[in-house]
Amino acid sequence: MPIIDIHIHLSDIDSFHQTAVELSKVDYTAAGLKAEFDKNDVVLGIGMGVTEQTKGAFPDSTSPNPMGLDLEDSVPPFLMECVGINPNRLTGNHAQEEMDRIEARLQAPEVAGIKLYAGYYHHYVYDSIYTPIYELAAKYGMPVVIHTGDTYSMNGLLKYSHPLTVDELAFQQRGVNFMICHLGDPWVMDAAEVVAKNPNVYADLSGLVVGDRSHFERFMNEPLFMDHFRRALVYSDHYDKMLFGTDWPLAPIDLYAEFVRRLVPEQHHEKVFYENAFGLFPSIQQRIAAL
């Protein structure tokens, strides 16, 4: 079965390098990612743009817009990109310049959407600072992907990354589709309700386990851990709006695919691993046809 991994990273972020070496034991390079794609029949990935100007600084308030995939010189052909937004640069004297750069980048053929790092950046997603971003998303028919739940950095603030904040946003911006990353973990029941209630809200299942085989075996064999997510998926009853993503390099793709296969009933695998991505990211159809 072909797979689309809608949540990976390929940016020169210190914590990604550290996690790849110490926890997941993956080869954090474009070549390493391509090898994993080939091994697991992943036909396309979507990278989440994020940068830091100083080593270990993410969330970096000085990062220019839009943030991209800067681990390599260019976006590899087997990836598309959700450009990252630094909201701290959307006000002041240079705000229009930032918006102009964002809009220009959205017109690139490899760009599939927009990424907001809620929690890492201390703004609610329904704050007016993001309104021009949502206007661009509507103009270009692109989804907005939103980090929710736990933050990988202690400098994040969880009140901004709670999935219930996406409910108010979805109400305000009915013309834009949104994706809740990480099923809002640990608030997965709240995220499940936001997806069930709002026709313009989806969720991905990325980043729920971090590490190598020993980490995955520990958690996949813990019924309480697995039921934490299964309960939310059953409650939401919207496997048509759940998408597969790994958050690579936080975990090897084969282990993460095995984990999601255990969470999602088999009759929904094709939707979650492949078909649902086309509904949320319309531009991927052309990219896959060209591969």
Side-chain angles (χ1 to χ4, degrees):
M1 180 183 68
I3 293 173
I4 299 173
D5 187 338
I6 56 82
H7 194 136
I8 68 99
H9 295 281
L10 200 69
S11 294
D12 192 17
I13 301 293
D14 191 49
S15 63
F16 291 153
H17 289 286
Q18 183 178 357
T19 298
V21 171
E22 298 178 2
L23 296 177
S24 62
K25 315 294 175 57
V26 304
D27 175 8
Y28 187 44
T29 64
L33 178 60
K34 184 62 166 64
E36 291 201 46
F37 274 19
D38 291 345
K39 176 184 175 183
N40 294 283
D41 199 19
V42 179
V43 296
L44 185 73
I46 300 181
M48 301 296 155
V50 56
T51 62
E52 59 186 13
Q53 304 303 291
T54 304
K55 186 177 180 180
F58 178 74
D60 193 339
S61 63
T62 67
S63 286
N65 283 306
M67 297 186 284
L69 312 181
D70 65 349
L71 189 63
E72 306 284 339
D73 292 335
S74 60
V75 179
F78 53 88
L79 290 182
M80 296 189 75
E81 176 185 302
C82 285
V83 298
I85 304 300
N86 176 359
N88 298 322
R89 305 274 299 223
L90 298 180
T91 60
N93 296 333
H94 301 289
Q96 189 57 54
E97 183 180 338
E98 299 282 309
M99 290 301 303
D100 290 344
R101 281 199 294 264
I102 293 168
E103 182 166 15
R105 183 66 183 144
L106 292 182
Q107 298 173 61
E110 66 270 21
V111 172
I114 298 168
K115 175 69 183 285
L116 304 185
Y117 287 90
Y120 292 99
Y121 290 108
H122 300 165
H123 300 274
Y124 288 112
V125 292
Y126 52 74
D127 192 289
S128 60
I129 197 170
Y130 285 121
T131 299
I133 299 299
Y134 303 138
E135 291 172 348
L136 286 180
K139 178 178 178 179
Y140 290 99
M142 288 187 170
V144 177
V145 175
I146 300 172
H147 172 85
T148 62
D150 181 34
T151 58
Y152 211 55
S153 166
M154 66 179 180
N155 295 322
L157 288 177
L158 298 177
K159 68 178 182 179
Y160 296 109
S161 63
H162 197 290
L164 283 180
T165 63
V166 181
D167 181 48
E168 184 164 346
L169 173 62
F171 172 76
Q172 292 176 356
Q173 301 286 342
R174 285 297 185 207
V176 177
N177 285 331
F178 299 96
M179 186 178 79
I180 293 175
C181 296
H182 320 305
L183 196 60
D185 190 37
W187 303 292
V188 295
M189 288 298 292
D190 296 310
E193 170 60 15
V194 176
V195 172
K197 171 182 175 286
N198 295 286
N200 58 332
V201 178
Y202 297 67
D204 80 24
L205 304 178
S206 72
L208 304 179
V209 183
V210 177
D212 60 6
R213 169 66 67 176
S214 64
H215 287 81
F216 273 81
E217 290 294 343
R218 173 190 169 198
F219 287 109
M220 287 192 295
N221 290 311
E222 174 50 72
L224 287 176
F225 180 82
M226 299 298 283
D227 288 346
H228 169 68
F229 302 112
R230 287 186 179 125
R231 185 175 294 109
L233 292 173
V234 170
Y235 172 81
S236 180
D237 197 26
H238 267 289
Y239 293 102
D240 58 317
K241 294 201 292 178
M242 300 292 170
L243 287 80
F244 174 76
T246 59
D247 218 1
W248 190 92
L250 274 60
I253 291 174
D254 57 349
L255 294 179
Y256 208 88
E258 180 183 345
F259 165 66
V260 173
R261 288 187 188 104
R262 295 193 192 187
L263 283 183
V264 174
E266 186 175 358
Q267 66 265 34
H268 301 296
H269 282 184
E270 192 165 358
K271 287 182 180 179
V272 172
F273 281 91
Y274 186 71
E275 293 177 358
N276 293 344
F278 293 95
L280 183 61
F281 298 97
S283 61
I284 67 175
Q285 181 72 57
Q286 186 174 359
R287 174 54 68 98
I288 287 181
L291 292 175

